[in-house]
């Protein structure tokens, strides 16, 4: 078995599938997973494979064992690994609290990064940002959600690179890698795309001017708009 070109074991694959079922609400917080034998039959794997998959989720505190009762799902706020948390926050039916917590976490990293990038950015960084912004506009004009998402995330990645600090892109990498699914949902809304282009343009202009104060505020405003758009156009409209 493989995931994104990387070979994974059966327990790893099953852990991924169970996590997906937890995130999509098949097994909500506070509810017990099916028994070991039931999961083995459901997924056509051995009970040992199930045991190892559940163990991997326990390590991340996604689930907990209650002796004599079973394996129960913990709420995402108790999870202790970044990847599952971001997956939960960017899932199409993520809760408002989890989604906004992700934006809060991004704010802590990206606002400071924009401020630093205004001072450290190179001509190459600016050229890449202009190209990515143009890709966002082209994608919006043609209603190409996939291209829009790719260009949007690439823009933020370039801002991280433009800080000139090798640690910052590494800190952002899990966010960029796992934001794709959630961005597909939000970027399918025309008004959200328009707002994103407007705010990315302001960020670019601040970086071009080499103005860290304006760059910082532009990123604050962008993430505030992102939170508002998510709430107004996506979460509040879910059944």
């Amino acid at each position: 078995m493989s995931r994104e070109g990387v070979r994974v074991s059966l327990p790893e694959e099953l852990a991924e599938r169970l996590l997906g079922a937890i995130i999509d609400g098949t097994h909500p917080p506070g509810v017990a997973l099916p028994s070991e034998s039931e999961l083995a039959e459901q997924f056509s794997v051995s009970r040992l494979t199930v045991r190892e998959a559940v163990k991997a989720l326990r390590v991340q505190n996604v689930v907990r064992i209650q002796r004599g009762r079973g394996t129960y799902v913990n709420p995402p706020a108790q999870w202790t690994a970044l990847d599952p948390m971001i997956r939960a926050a960017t899932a199409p039916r993520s809760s408002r609290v989890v989604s906004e917590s992700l934006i809060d976490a991004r704010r802590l990293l990206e606002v400071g990064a924009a401020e630093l990038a205004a001072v450290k950015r190179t001509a190459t960084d600016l050229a890449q940002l202009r190209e990515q912004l143009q890709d966002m506009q082209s994608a919006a004009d043609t209603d190409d959600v996939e291209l829009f998402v790719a260009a949007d995330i690439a823009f933020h990645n370039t801002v991280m690179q433009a800080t000139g600090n090798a640690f910052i892109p590494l800190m952002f990498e899990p966010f960029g890698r796992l934001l794709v699914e959630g961005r597909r949902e939000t970027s399918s809304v025309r008004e959200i795309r328009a707002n994103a282009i407007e705010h990315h343009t302001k960020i670019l202009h601040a970086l071009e001017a080499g103005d860290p104060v304006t760059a910082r505020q532009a990123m604050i405003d962008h993430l505030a708009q992102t939170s508002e758009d998510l709430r107004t156009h996506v979460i509040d409209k879910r059944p």
Side-chain angles (χ1 to χ4, degrees):
M1 301 293 176
S2 65
R3 181 178 66 246
E4 297 181 353
V6 178
R7 193 166 184 83
V8 297
S9 66
L10 275 175
E12 289 174 322
E13 183 190 11
L14 180 56
E16 286 288 311
R17 295 176 70 179
L18 288 174
L19 177 61
I22 289 168
I23 289 172
D24 71 18
T26 302
H27 307 300
V31 172
L33 292 178
S35 69
E36 192 176 277
S37 58
E38 288 173 323
L39 289 173
E41 181 177 357
Q42 178 183 344
F43 292 102
S44 300
V45 296
S46 69
R47 294 181 64 171
L48 177 60
T49 295
V50 172
R51 201 171 302 134
E52 289 299 313
V54 170
K55 180 179 178 181
L57 296 178
R58 285 178 59 197
V59 168
Q60 299 172 332
N61 211 39
V62 174
V63 299
R64 68 186 184 279
I65 301 294
Q66 292 191 0
R67 299 299 176 188
R69 297 187 60 192
T71 301
Y72 284 76
V73 178
N74 288 325
Q78 295 179 10
W79 299 358
T80 56
L82 183 59
D83 281 11
M85 279 293 296
I86 295 178
R87 283 185 58 184
T90 57
R93 298 189 65 82
S94 62
S95 73
R96 176 172 175 174
V97 171
V98 174
S99 296
E100 292 190 346
S101 293
L102 173 61
I103 293 175
D104 287 341
R106 289 181 55 200
R107 186 179 291 113
L108 290 174
L109 175 61
E110 295 193 65
V111 169
E115 183 176 14
L116 185 58
V119 178
K120 299 288 188 177
R121 86 288 185 273
T122 65
T124 299
D125 294 327
L126 294 175
Q128 289 178 339
L129 291 168
R130 294 184 194 106
E131 181 178 350
Q132 288 150 357
L133 183 57
Q134 182 57 55
D135 285 343
M136 290 176 67
Q137 185 63 66
S138 298
D141 292 342
T142 58
D143 206 30
D144 188 336
V145 173
E146 291 295 324
L147 175 59
F148 190 91
V149 170
D152 185 352
I153 292 175
F155 185 99
H156 284 265
N157 284 335
T158 300
V159 172
M160 300 301 110
Q161 295 287 344
T163 63
N165 185 315
F167 289 101
I168 294 175
L170 293 175
M171 294 168 65
F172 184 74
E173 190 273 338
F175 292 97
R177 176 164 44 88
L178 295 173
L179 282 173
V180 174
E181 189 59 44
R183 291 290 181 87
R184 288 193 181 106
E185 183 180 28
T186 56
S187 296
S188 65
V189 180
R190 191 178 300 274
E191 186 174 343
I192 290 180
R193 294 199 301 263
N195 288 339
I197 290 171
E198 177 185 351
H199 284 278
H200 282 72
T201 300
K202 291 178 180 179
I203 293 168
L204 174 58
H205 288 169
L207 297 183
E208 288 175 327
D211 184 341
V213 175
T214 303
R216 178 183 180 86
Q217 188 60 51
M219 187 63 78
I220 290 173
D221 293 343
H222 170 45
L223 292 173
Q225 184 69 62
T226 299
S227 180
E228 176 63 24
D229 284 342
L230 181 66
R231 182 169 55 251
T232 302
H233 296 285
V234 179
I235 294 175
D236 289 350
K237 292 187 176 181
R238 289 172 179 162

